[in-house]
Amino acid sequence: MGDIIKIFSDIGSVYEEDEKRIKNRAYEYDEIKCYLCDIDTKNIIPSTNIPKDELIITRFGIGANSGNLFPNYQFISKDVSKDEAKFIKGVLKSVKNLMSYFSPSDIENNEILKRSSELNEGFFDDIITNIKALDEHKAKDKKVATFFCLSYNEKPISSYFKEIFDKHIDKKEVSKIYGYDILTNKKGVGADANLAFCSVNELPENLKSVKSKFLPLNESSANRIRIGFLATDKELSHNFYGVKMAILPTLLSNDQSLFKEIIQILKEAKKNDVEELAQAEEIAIDVALEYVAKREKDLPVLNTILFYAKNNAAIDVLLQIDDVLPSYISKISNAMGSRNIKAFKRKDIKDNDEAIYLQNLFENSLEIMKFLLSQNKVDLDTMIQRYAELIYYGNINKKYRFAIDWGKYFNGYYPQRSIESISKYQELFNEIDILNKKLTLQKECDLQNLKDKKELIRSLIQGSEFINNDSVLQGAYLLGMLSSALMKWQYAVSESASFARWLNNNGAITKDSLERIWTKCYATKGKLENISKHPNLSINQTMELAEEILPGVFLSKDVVKSSHITLAFAMGGNDYNKFIKDEKKGE
């Protein structure tokens, strides 16, 4: 957390002169529709041209229940209809917050303040029905919002008291507690940066005396951090599959002008012209992330990638990935792009039939980003288990799973879970060195001059680092070949898919199930020879090889993981279609 605090402080130092704009949420939107409710007449009129420096939208404090400083309340129709009491309470809470900046005599001598201070729930009795019927502002390709604003003479109350906003943001705590500021090493601490994910403002009374030990800051440092986080959230962060992503730079030099250049790059990453790059097929991970990495090329900078969610005033930090080099992001993106692998399948992008997606191998988007960018190596066996689940169900996430049909699988019906796709994933992971061991499922080998099917199969086995030195996996591989061959032969001679249905109902492919599959293959082969009145040469040669290996497999006491056996079985069926099957009808 200390590194993030320093980064927010550095960003805050860039934005310090722009504090009023950063702390006024009105500047977050391209357009705002205001419903101005007059505190005297109760007339409600819409307006879309209130100057943003007059429509001040800022919270009174850090707590979720602190309310706004001014009675400018975001209007969401369904929320008001669902809980009108909460809406009314929120507006009146803001009025109370504003009144706290004035003395009783100030309120008594100002007509607007006096009238505002007299408002209560009864003010809304005869207008709440009309308020519920108001429409929210909508505009295509723009960030818009709707606010309900208490007003006077067709101007929001906040426009009459802009100096209160200045006083609010300039409010300083006196750093009287003995201690040294974590950033400047100067004496005097006790200020709070109001970071919603590590604030100490809400500590119970009996712990407030040790508040400064949690995050020792003086007011100047705390204010820079406050501004830095607000600037990050409003101007430098990006939407990322339901959460927010912020790229936080750490400069490896003391060049302030260079740091400002990097901040400008981060700002540009939010512009519409950059977002349009999301349509480009070369985007493999995330458009903003790849744009920033490309622009930061050759700059002395490391990035912390922060993923967080906002819920009213609360901030939930979901994932933090530290010290990511821009070149590392580009390396991964290029390696993915060369294999047409993308991290996510976007609904707004036209399907690319050739692309495969990492999201099928992970529970959610954050798990993918942690896997790709954290440089924490994952166990190879864990990934093979994911490959097996991909084969069986098409997705690791249970919400998107559907069970395999082996007949369809061996006929190329599931390209996203095919052995070709799994091989591409593994090649990628080998290149970016993200697993604790590298693995080559199938090496390139010259098979053109091998006419004998048994020699060809032996060459395929020898060319696979995965199965070459394990007789159990070789047995599973050969049974995968036999299963694929028998499915095709059975359909060719009788248009039946009974073997495929049996295999689907057999359950997971494990060491214990191999003997059952062999028995079924042997029986099915005999039946098909009777029906077709001739043998199948490819199947016979494959079976001869299987007979050399399987007896030892069935007697073996070796423990072999079911995920490995599943992968070997699928590889065998896949290789039969690619290299072994005869084109002759009926074969």
Side-chain angles (χ1 to χ4, degrees), residues 47 98 109 137 155 198 334 396 412 415 417-418 438 456 481 504 521 536 564:
S47 176
L98 176 60
N109 294 323
H137 186 38
K155 293 176 66 177
C198 64
N334 293 337
I396 301 302
R417 50 170 122 173
S418 67
K438 295 184 179 182
L456 197 155
M481 279 194 165
N504 293 337
C521 286
N536 182 303
H564 291 226

Side-chain angles (χ1 to χ4, degrees), residues 11 24 55 89 145 191 207 245 264 282 285 301 306 318 335 337 347-348 403 452 483 488 544 559:
I11 294 173
N24 182 0
L55 181 65
K89 183 180 178 182
L207 286 179
M245 177 181 74
Q264 186 61 33
E282 64 267 19
I285 308 172
V301 62
L306 188 70
L318 305 173
K347 294 179 180 179
D348 56 336
D452 182 80
S483 296
K488 290 174 173 56
E544 288 172 10
V559 176

Side-chain angles (χ1 to χ4, degrees), residues 494-511:
S494 64
E495 296 189 357
S496 171
S498 62
F499 183 87
R501 287 195 298 272
W502 176 88
L503 190 59
N504 293 337
N505 294 327
N506 186 60
I509 311 298
T510 67
K511 186 182 177 186

Side-chain angles (χ1 to χ4, degrees), residues 285-333:
I285 308 172
D286 176 81
V287 58
L289 192 67
E290 293 180 46
Y291 173 84
V292 171
K294 186 176 180 180
R295 290 289 307 277
E296 289 181 339
K297 181 184 178 183
D298 300 327
L299 296 180
V301 62
L302 291 172
N303 292 308
T304 294
I305 317 297
L306 188 70
F307 299 89
Y308 63 96
K310 296 180 68 176
N311 182 15
N312 296 323
I315 304 292
D316 296 324
V317 175
L318 305 173
L319 176 65
Q320 176 183 331
I321 305 173
D322 296 318
D323 301 335
V324 183
L325 281 166
S327 58
Y328 186 70
I329 297 170
S330 298
K331 172 188 173 182
I332 292 173
S333 174

Side-chain angles (χ1 to χ4, degrees), residues 370-420:
K370 182 178 181 180
F371 174 77
L372 288 177
L373 300 178
S374 70
Q375 300 187 56
N376 295 326
K377 294 193 176 185
V378 172
D379 189 80
L380 174 62
D381 280 342
T382 299
M383 188 53 64
I384 292 176
Q385 176 62 41
R386 290 173 183 260
Y387 293 155
E389 291 188 52
L390 181 67
I391 290 168
Y392 282 129
Y393 305 112
N395 205 297
I396 301 302
N397 191 317
K398 292 181 180 179
K399 292 191 293 187
Y400 307 109
R401 288 182 166 196
F402 60 97
I404 190 172
D405 179 321
W406 283 109
K408 290 182 176 180
Y409 185 84
F410 289 141
N411 276 304
Y413 188 79
Y414 308 116
Q416 291 293 323
R417 50 170 122 173
S418 67
I419 293 299
E420 284 80 4

Side-chain angles (χ1 to χ4, degrees), residues 532-556:
S532 65
K533 306 302 182 184
H534 65 81
N536 182 303
L537 180 60
S538 295
I539 290 176
N540 285 346
Q541 290 181 313
T542 305
M543 259 190 164
E544 288 172 10
L545 277 177
E547 286 171 338
E548 296 175 10
I549 294 173
L550 287 174
V553 171
F554 300 150
L555 295 173
S556 172

